[in-house]
Amino acid sequence: MAVEEAAEYLAETDVNACYLRAARAGNLEKALDYLKNGVDINICNQNGLNALHLASKEGHVEVVAELIKQGANVDAATKKGNTALHIASLAGQTDVVKELVTNGANVNAQSQLYTEHPSVRVRCVSRLHGSTPIGFALLDVEPVVFPLIH
């Protein structure tokens, strides 16, 4: 029986990973198919990234909007405490930022510990300097994000 349970777990894990890949790739139809077949909309990978986080990072506004409509937790946080709004702000995804804010994303959500912005040589340790989506937008190389969430 243990072998069957292990095989079932691996199959479920693979389906979850495929769902997350579909969201990251912007494949809305495929992501919705996985949801229709019972995948948890808020399932996360080992880093705590869910479909909303991944679609937000890549700028897939239609996927983000539909995931929210289907019940995705707009303020779900990764293991580092980043929400989809943090991630979209860091990635300069202004249309996604608008969609998230319009749908109630918390602009004051705090990351845990610290976050590094890959294009800026700054590590934000203080909760006052860069650990909220607004702080991330200020660090962003795309200055158009800040006015959207301020």
Side-chain angles (χ1 to χ4, degrees), residues 107-128:
V107 298
N108 296 309
Q110 295 280 332
S111 288
Q112 299 168 0
L113 305 175
Y114 68 86
T115 303
E116 290 184 50
H117 188 284
S119 66
V120 180
R121 292 184 180 99
V122 175
R123 179 175 281 178
C124 302
V125 178
S126 169
R127 290 188 179 271
L128 300 175

Side-chain angles (χ1 to χ4, degrees), residues 121-145:
R121 292 184 180 99
V122 175
R123 179 175 281 178
C124 302
V125 178
S126 169
R127 290 188 179 271
L128 300 175
H129 297 93
S131 61
T132 65
I134 290 173
F136 283 7
L138 289 171
L139 285 176
D140 198 274
V141 292
E142 305 256 349
V144 294
V145 174

Side-chain angles (χ1 to χ4, degrees), residues 10-50:
L10 290 174
E12 182 178 309
T13 301
D14 190 46
V15 169
N16 292 340
C18 289
Y19 161 66
L20 295 175
R21 280 194 292 274
R24 184 180 62 218
N27 191 333
L28 178 58
E29 185 177 330
K30 199 169 203 177
L32 290 175
D33 283 343
Y34 285 111
L35 293 174
K36 287 176 190 171
N37 288 307
V39 171
D40 178 359
I41 196 166
N42 293 307
I43 195 74
C44 299
N45 66 16
Q46 66 276 11
N47 295 317
L49 291 161
N50 64 29

Side-chain angles (χ1 to χ4, degrees), residues 52-150:
L52 187 61
H53 296 134
L54 296 167
S56 294
K57 180 181 180 194
E58 300 300 329
H60 300 304
V61 181
E62 289 181 11
V63 176
V64 168
E66 188 61 29
L67 288 172
I68 293 169
K69 181 180 170 187
Q70 295 289 325
N73 180 353
V74 74
D75 287 323
T78 66
K79 288 184 177 180
K80 290 185 179 180
N82 294 322
T83 65
L85 187 55
H86 285 102
I87 293 165
S89 296
L90 269 172
Q93 302 293 357
T94 56
D95 291 337
V96 172
V97 168
K98 288 178 193 176
E99 187 68 30
L100 292 167
V101 171
T102 299
N103 284 283
N106 181 2
V107 298
N108 296 309
Q110 295 280 332
S111 288
Q112 299 168 0
L113 305 175
Y114 68 86
T115 303
E116 290 184 50
H117 188 284
S119 66
V120 180
R121 292 184 180 99
V122 175
R123 179 175 281 178
C124 302
V125 178
S126 169
R127 290 188 179 271
L128 300 175
H129 297 93
S131 61
T132 65
I134 290 173
F136 283 7
L138 289 171
L139 285 176
D140 198 274
V141 292
E142 305 256 349
V144 294
V145 174
F146 178 70
L148 299 174
I149 59 177
H150 183 274

